[in-house]
Amino acid sequence: KEQTFLEHLEDLRKMILNCIFPIVALSPIGFYLAPKLINFLMTNSLPDSAAKFHYFSPMEVFIVQLKMVVKILYLIIFILIIMLDLEFL
């Protein structure tokens, strides 16, 4: 179907909002789960003598948590995509 320039911009706006909405909506879940997952990984994957993080700057604590949030969001969104894909089969 042939579209005008403004219709293309409207479709682009809808697509961008559809991509950003799940990230914004699921971020609080990721921030809630991140410290619990970091502690779980530290206690269950390392021996007790090595289960310590050493932070060298105050911002590093936030960056480690933010990286974990991104990984959690990737996992949740990947699962949602797979579920939607299986629904269409």
Side-chain angles (χ1 to χ4, degrees):
K1 167 184 159 187
E2 187 105 3
Q3 293 182 332
T4 65
F5 181 70
L6 291 176
E7 289 173 335
H8 279 290
L9 285 178
E10 182 67 24
D11 287 345
L12 177 64
R13 184 187 70 83
K14 287 179 185 176
M15 187 62 68
I16 290 172
L17 288 176
N18 286 340
C19 292
I20 291 176
F21 178 72
I23 294 170
V24 172
L26 295 173
S27 290
I29 296 171
F31 275 107
Y32 174 75
L33 292 176
K36 296 175 190 279
L37 186 59
I38 290 171
N39 288 334
F40 175 78
L41 291 174
M42 276 184 22
T43 56
N44 293 327
S45 63
L46 296 172
D48 289 336
S49 61
K52 292 182 182 177
F53 275 148
H54 297 283
Y55 299 110
F56 299 106
S57 72
M59 195 65 179
E60 204 167 349
V61 177
F62 177 71
I63 291 172
V64 168
Q65 240 183 344
L66 189 62
K67 287 179 181 180
M68 188 58 71
V69 168
V70 169
K71 289 175 177 77
I72 291 169
L73 288 178
Y74 281 154
L75 179 66
I76 292 172
I77 291 173
F78 177 74
I79 291 169
L80 290 174
I81 289 171
I82 295 297
M83 287 172 53
L84 289 173
D85 190 39
L86 291 176
E87 189 177 296
F88 286 116
L89 291 179

